[in-house]
Amino acid sequence: MASAPKADRIETSSPAATEPPRKLSKLALLWGFVRHYPGKLIGALIALVVAATATLAIPRGFMLVIDKGFAGAGGTGDIAPYFYGLLAVVGVLAVATACRFYFVSWLGERVVADIRLSVHNHLLTLAPGFFEENRPSEIASRLTADTSVIEQVVGSTASIALRNIVMGVGGIIYLFTLSPKLAGMLLLGIPLVIGPIVLLGRRVRSFSRASQDRIADLGALISETLGAMKIVQAFTQEGREAERFGSAVERAFGTARMRVAIRAVMTAIVIGLIFGAIVLVLWEGARDVAAGRLSGGAIAAFVLTGGLVAGAFGALTEVYGDLLRGAGAAGRLAELLEAVPEIKAPAHPVKLPEPPQGRVSFDQVTFFYPTRPDLAALVDFSLEVVPGETVAIVGPSGAGKTTLFQLVQRFYDPQQGVVKVDGTPLPKVDPAALRARIAVVPQESVIFAASARDNLRYGRWDAREDELWAAAETANAADFLKALPDGLDTFMGEGGARLSGGQRQRLSIARAVLRNAPVLLLDEATSALDAESEKLVQDALERLMQDRTTLVIAHRLATVRNADRIIVMDQGRIVDQGRHDQLIARDGLYARLARLQFDAAAA
């Protein structure tokens, strides 16, 4: 297996979208989701302000206890009312904090759910080519790891940041009411605090993005290795895969270590500057108390408030790092949301003719895959398939056979020429309307981790029970489906693990029967089956092909002898066509391929 490719390959509508986030503006993506829940947002903000205000009220309560209670009437004053006031403030603080926690946590979970839905639904609109250029496992990492970072930002970090901003600003205002001179001295240290945040924050941003990319690499490696575990063990490459994964883990750790180290340095500098400034200011405050210019309660309140302000700004330095991670995650998710579908319905789609005919045509088509722009998959290719005709497509590997299926379903558009169905150029048609007229039986059956019923209904989701069983009978699948423990409601397992290869193929055929489409694309489904399964599948296919326009990719030439026409392809071109006997008589490429297969079978 090749080493995992780089993760940063998502194509978007904007070149700037692929750059690392330079500032917190990437978090604007989150606001687009949060603003849909104004009630919860307002509730969270009110609770936040109340909690911050109650926290700042505690130092004033202590000031009253000291100045009015202990110091009042020679130290014999009644201090109970002031402690009652403090208890009331604590009660308000507890309730407001609980409300804030509930609202912001709810918002965090809801926003993450909405982002996952939006990204997933947008991914469903993208053409298959997007997933050939960008690893699905890396995209899955963005939907899991990055959204977890977003949940932390919305459900915790943003709330903490706002609370500390309110406490910091409110605390500074209160400090000025206690002693403008001391508060002014304390504020002189703020520019010294902001400097390291700005300078070191840039490094944190780059390492945050790199750290998330390395985590995505880990997910891709795990998915690749687990998906090919039989090959790994068959070729005894466990040691190499362990070493490869270990190297990726160490790279991820190294990147994370640098990010953590820079954040630690930034935190140390900021905390040292803040509390150093507080110590110096308190030194001056103590001299004011000694001189009688400040009361004992006021200096106590100043100390407590100063500690809260210092803690607020200190917490902001840590929160800033988390916000930067959130900006990186939001930027990566935004890249997915900004990816523009290359294949989409036109503004005014043309309706396909009714009733459906099943005519398929290629007119001078030249096509290059996006991942192979220097090698043409089809070159000036023309083919007309009339309704009801069965056309077999044969040729060596890489001849362009599968490409025809991709273009008929409009997973790609050719660079030159046009593909038509029922006489209508495909770019003028809604892809959903086009694909509704096509049924596909792939060589490798795709069975979802769901019930047999849901796998069948993929052909037509509103099919009735009797229609499901009729399709199963046509596909020679009814017997084994009835034998399942829960019938059609039996869970199929990952990739249809509960079924044999022949059973999976017959389930795919039943799905195509339910589709009841005029055009059938058949990537020969019997090439990897035993003789008994092949006979059952071949009988089912023959019933499915009746009265339909059928394109068959033929891997085994013995199965296409009865085709109405055989198209022989090589290097993206048609090199011969005709019936089996005609092609054998010409002694060309088809005859050579046939001799190779039939001689091998005889041997």
Side-chain angles (χ1 to χ4, degrees), residues 337-410:
L337 289 171
E338 292 168 1
V340 177
E342 295 181 5
I343 304 298
K344 57 184 177 181
H348 303 287
V350 174
K351 290 187 177 181
L352 289 166
E354 292 289 351
Q357 303 167 14
R359 183 181 301 276
V360 178
S361 63
F362 297 81
D363 186 10
Q364 296 182 323
V365 170
T366 296
F367 174 70
F368 297 81
Y369 281 101
T371 53
R372 292 172 289 173
D374 56 340
L375 180 64
L378 294 177
V379 181
D380 197 25
F381 183 92
S382 295
L383 175 66
E384 182 81 19
V385 183
V386 300
E389 185 181 17
T390 297
V391 175
I393 305 163
V394 303
S397 177
K401 305 184 294 296
T402 302
T403 302
L404 299 182
F405 281 20
Q406 305 270 24
L407 294 180
V408 169
Q409 297 173 88
R410 206 190 167 207

Side-chain angles (χ1 to χ4, degrees), residues 153-238:
V153 169
V154 178
S156 174
T157 305
S159 169
I160 293 172
L162 289 173
R163 178 170 62 87
N164 283 292
I165 289 173
V166 172
M167 285 183 56
V169 174
I172 289 172
I173 293 173
Y174 183 54
L175 289 177
F176 271 100
T177 65
L178 292 172
S179 174
K181 181 184 73 171
L182 297 180
M185 292 174 61
L186 189 63
L187 288 182
L188 290 176
I190 289 182
L192 297 176
V193 174
I194 295 176
I197 295 177
V198 174
L199 294 176
L200 296 176
R202 295 173 183 173
R203 299 283 293 170
V204 173
R205 280 196 295 271
S206 62
F207 280 111
S208 294
R209 173 64 184 245
S211 180
Q212 288 160 327
D213 287 341
R214 298 295 77 75
I215 292 172
D217 288 342
L218 289 178
L221 276 174
I222 292 171
S223 177
E224 181 183 47
T225 304
L226 295 183
M229 186 58 70
K230 291 180 180 178
I231 296 298
V232 171
Q233 294 179 349
F235 286 89
T236 62
Q237 292 296 313
E238 296 93 333

Side-chain angles (χ1 to χ4, degrees), residues 228-434:
M229 186 58 70
K230 291 180 180 178
I231 296 298
V232 171
Q233 294 179 349
F235 286 89
T236 62
Q237 292 296 313
E238 296 93 333
R240 178 184 178 275
E241 291 304 321
E243 181 181 349
R244 191 160 72 108
F245 185 73
S247 298
V249 168
E250 290 303 320
R251 285 195 298 271
F253 172 73
T255 305
R257 182 183 59 194
M258 291 300 297
R259 171 177 56 81
V260 171
I262 293 174
R263 283 189 60 182
V265 170
M266 183 170 67
T267 301
I269 293 174
V270 172
I271 295 295
L273 290 173
I274 288 177
F275 283 94
I278 289 176
V279 170
L280 293 175
V281 169
L282 288 181
W283 189 355
E284 181 64 23
R287 295 171 60 185
D288 286 345
V289 172
R293 293 188 295 270
L294 201 64
S295 71
I299 192 62
F302 195 96
V303 170
L304 287 174
T305 306
L308 291 174
V309 170
F313 281 103
L316 283 175
T317 64
E318 297 184 14
V319 166
Y320 185 63
D322 290 335
L323 290 175
L324 290 173
R325 287 188 66 211
R332 285 159 53 86
L333 290 167
E335 290 172 1
L336 294 176
L337 289 171
E338 292 168 1
V340 177
E342 295 181 5
I343 304 298
K344 57 184 177 181
H348 303 287
V350 174
K351 290 187 177 181
L352 289 166
E354 292 289 351
Q357 303 167 14
R359 183 181 301 276
V360 178
S361 63
F362 297 81
D363 186 10
Q364 296 182 323
V365 170
T366 296
F367 174 70
F368 297 81
Y369 281 101
T371 53
R372 292 172 289 173
D374 56 340
L375 180 64
L378 294 177
V379 181
D380 197 25
F381 183 92
S382 295
L383 175 66
E384 182 81 19
V385 183
V386 300
E389 185 181 17
T390 297
V391 175
I393 305 163
V394 303
S397 177
K401 305 184 294 296
T402 302
T403 302
L404 299 182
F405 281 20
Q406 305 270 24
L407 294 180
V408 169
Q409 297 173 88
R410 206 190 167 207
F411 291 149
Y412 301 92
D413 283 331
Q415 283 79 18
Q416 296 178 22
V418 63
V419 183
K420 299 178 182 178
V421 169
D422 289 345
T424 308
L426 299 193
K428 296 183 179 181
V429 179
D430 185 340
L434 164 70

Side-chain angles (χ1 to χ4, degrees), residues 467-528:
E467 292 175 321
L468 295 178
W469 284 113
E473 291 284 355
T474 302
N476 284 335
D479 290 343
F480 79 80
L481 288 175
K482 290 176 181 177
L484 292 173
D486 298 315
L488 291 181
D489 294 316
T490 304
F491 182 70
M492 294 289 94
E494 188 76 22
R498 301 188 67 166
L499 304 178
S500 68
Q503 290 171 335
R504 286 196 292 270
Q505 292 289 21
R506 281 178 275 161
L507 191 58
S508 291
I509 294 170
R511 181 190 297 162
V513 171
L514 269 180
R515 189 72 162 174
N516 194 26
V519 177
L520 174 63
L521 304 181
L522 179 59
D523 193 348
E524 189 177 17
T526 62
S527 58

Side-chain angles (χ1 to χ4, degrees), residues 411-583:
F411 291 149
Y412 301 92
D413 283 331
Q415 283 79 18
Q416 296 178 22
V418 63
V419 183
K420 299 178 182 178
V421 169
D422 289 345
T424 308
L426 299 193
K428 296 183 179 181
V429 179
D430 185 340
L434 164 70
R435 293 162 190 164
R437 297 195 173 193
I438 298 173
V440 183
V441 180
Q443 182 180 8
E444 297 292 335
S445 298
V446 176
I447 304 297
F448 296 94
S451 66
R453 181 188 308 277
D454 286 349
N455 273 282
L456 280 172
R457 292 168 67 206
Y458 229 75
R460 182 159 51 87
W461 200 257
D462 59 352
R464 302 187 308 271
E465 186 81 4
D466 59 323
E467 292 175 321
L468 295 178
W469 284 113
E473 291 284 355
T474 302
N476 284 335
D479 290 343
F480 79 80
L481 288 175
K482 290 176 181 177
L484 292 173
D486 298 315
L488 291 181
D489 294 316
T490 304
F491 182 70
M492 294 289 94
E494 188 76 22
R498 301 188 67 166
L499 304 178
S500 68
Q503 290 171 335
R504 286 196 292 270
Q505 292 289 21
R506 281 178 275 161
L507 191 58
S508 291
I509 294 170
R511 181 190 297 162
V513 171
L514 269 180
R515 189 72 162 174
N516 194 26
V519 177
L520 174 63
L521 304 181
L522 179 59
D523 193 348
E524 189 177 17
T526 62
S527 58
L529 301 180
D530 58 75
E532 182 179 359
S533 296
E534 180 180 355
K535 180 66 169 61
L536 291 170
V537 171
Q538 194 62 47
D539 291 345
L541 288 174
E542 288 176 2
R543 287 195 289 269
L544 176 62
M545 292 163 63
Q546 291 176 2
D547 303 322
R548 287 184 173 86
T549 303
T550 306
L551 292 175
V552 184
I553 293 178
H555 303 283
R556 298 172 62 174
L557 304 185
T559 62
V560 296
R561 288 182 173 182
N562 297 325
D564 298 322
R565 188 164 34 134
I566 300 173
I567 303 297
V568 186
M569 294 184 64
D570 190 22
Q571 297 183 358
R573 303 174 186 269
I574 296 178
V575 296
D576 206 351
Q577 59 180 303
R579 295 185 64 85
H580 173 77
D581 294 338
Q582 297 170 331
L583 294 173

